Amino acid sequence: NRPAAVPRRAGVMTRPSLSREKKAVGSPRCPRILSSSGTIQPCPFLMAIPDRPTHRPLLVAVTGTNGKTSTTSFLAQLVRSQGYKAVAAGQRIELDGRILPRDMVPRRAKAFSAWLQAFAKDDVALVAVEAYSAAIARGAHDHVPYDALAFTNFAPDHQSVHASEDAYFAAKMRLFETHDPKASVCVPRGAAGQARIAAALQASGWDIRWTDPAPHVPFLERFMADNAGVALNLAAVLGFGAPSAEALVGLHAPPGRMTRFDLPNGPRAVVDFAHNGHGLRAALSVLRDETCGRLVLILSSKGGWGAKKRLDLAKAARACADHVIVTDDDPRHEDPAVIRAPQQSVYSTIDCS
């Protein structure tokens, strides 16, 4: 049978008798690729994980308060740069340049695991998943056989979902407490909440692989280079070769992640998904350093986010922006005036639309 995660137009030899070549060290029955050129090569990503079944893609979970979407997208891009198919699943589902509908993701835990593994039929080598705290807390990831994980950072958020900051952190840690510490876990050096993350992971038996910002990436922001560094290390621990400098330079951020637009007459508009105080401060700090004139922020808060989160956003905006415009973006079931109130309370002057 042809396992997932092999290049197109390649056959796979899984029986040792089919090849007289020397088998991979430590893996005498390792599957081997019969390429379109006729050469026989071992599958590095299948050798990297001991006893890994050959009927599914490699599976990676990325959790953290911020950076999940960028990290999973970067990982998928790096894997694709080496000729393999990869999926990034979270805020959107990327499959080789195609965007699939997000509502195709099942909510039930066992169905979710089966859905991820079913990408084998598309010859997908890797699926990188954003692990949200609410989904972790309800057990959606408990049955997924992840081969590697990452914890990008931790900062206050989702007060309307979890009873407290401790409950929010406990939800994140469930991802690691329900999986085998023999898998690799990557954490960026200097991440927000690093001490708390390290103490909790080590207490659960995890050996942390600390990561540094990726070199050669085309991003001005340190946090984007950190996310790329996590992706680079995840690719390495899973057995993919080192990407070329061209692959790193060619990385692109997902839509809405520090996306810059140069407008007529000089202004620059930047769109970013920052949705909590920590993320907004990080984004505005970068923009403050590259802005000669005024820094104007258009800020929104969806319905259901809670007053504490909105207050954190407003404090970050006041500290970093020259002028703030609060908008009514998707109030859902809430009165827009109630959404604006905690944000207006921290400004001396404000425009409301």
Side-chain angles (χ1 to χ4, degrees), residues 267-307:
R268 168 175 288 177
V270 181
V271 177
D272 190 69
F273 187 67
H275 57 282
N276 51 60
H278 171 258
L280 186 58
R281 281 188 177 87
L284 291 177
S285 295
V286 170
L287 297 176
R288 170 56 68 197
D289 290 342
E290 66 179 62
T291 301
C292 298
R294 300 173 68 210
L295 181 57
V296 179
L297 173 66
I298 301 175
L299 180 66
S300 66
S301 173
K302 293 183 182 296
W305 274 10

Side-chain angles (χ1 to χ4, degrees), residues 25 35-36 43 63 163 182 219 223 229 233 268 270 309 324:
V25 176
S35 71
S36 56
C43 301
T63 196
K182 291 180 182 178
F219 308 117
F223 57 85
N233 277 266
R268 168 175 288 177
V270 181
K309 181 167 182 170
V324 180

Side-chain angles (χ1 to χ4, degrees), residues 4-222:
V6 297
R8 285 191 173 276
R9 300 182 303 280
V12 174
M13 307 177 70
T14 56
R15 290 169 51 197
S17 60
L18 295 180
S19 173
R20 297 181 182 276
E21 292 190 5
K22 183 179 179 181
K23 306 301 183 291
V25 176
S27 184
R29 297 181 65 86
C30 176
R32 307 176 76 77
I33 293 177
L34 179 62
S35 71
S36 56
S37 64
T39 60
I40 300 173
Q41 299 175 336
C43 301
F45 41 80
L46 295 179
M47 291 188 296
I49 307 300
D51 303 320
R52 176 190 171 274
T54 60
H55 61 273
R56 67 165 174 84
L58 289 169
L59 300 174
V60 177
V62 178
T63 196
T65 301
N66 296 304
K68 297 182 292 296
T69 301
S70 296
T71 301
T72 54
S73 179
F74 293 155
L75 177 55
Q77 291 177 56
L78 291 174
V79 170
R80 287 196 293 266
S81 75
Q82 298 190 35
Y84 305 117
K85 297 180 73 173
V87 172
Q91 287 290 331
R92 62 183 199 151
I93 303 171
E94 303 176 15
L95 172 57
D96 281 357
R98 292 184 291 126
I99 305 302
L100 306 180
R102 189 180 175 189
D103 59 8
M104 70 186 295
V105 181
R107 287 180 58 85
R108 293 188 300 109
K110 291 185 179 180
F112 178 64
S113 179
W115 176 77
L116 292 174
Q117 297 182 61
F119 277 107
K121 70 180 185 299
D122 296 314
D123 293 335
V124 169
L126 173 140
V127 182
V129 181
E130 297 180 49
Y132 306 116
S133 58
I136 298 171
R138 70 170 186 266
H141 296 269
D142 290 359
H143 300 281
V144 182
Y146 289 118
D147 300 296
L149 302 96
F151 202 147
T152 57
N153 48 58
F154 182 79
D157 199 0
H158 300 298
Q159 295 91 344
S160 60
V161 177
H162 305 284
S164 64
E165 184 175 322
D166 288 342
Y168 173 41
F169 187 77
K172 293 289 190 187
M173 280 305 302
R174 175 171 173 163
L175 178 65
F176 303 93
E177 292 163 355
T178 55
H179 287 85
D180 191 343
K182 291 180 182 178
S184 298
V185 58
C186 295
V187 179
R189 207 183 307 275
Q194 174 181 302
R196 186 174 190 177
I197 293 170
L201 289 175
Q202 289 165 355
S204 297
W206 289 85
D207 185 14
I208 301 172
R209 181 182 178 110
W210 296 103
T211 69
D212 295 308
H216 311 304
V217 292
F219 308 117
L220 301 175
E221 307 84 16
R222 163 64 186 260

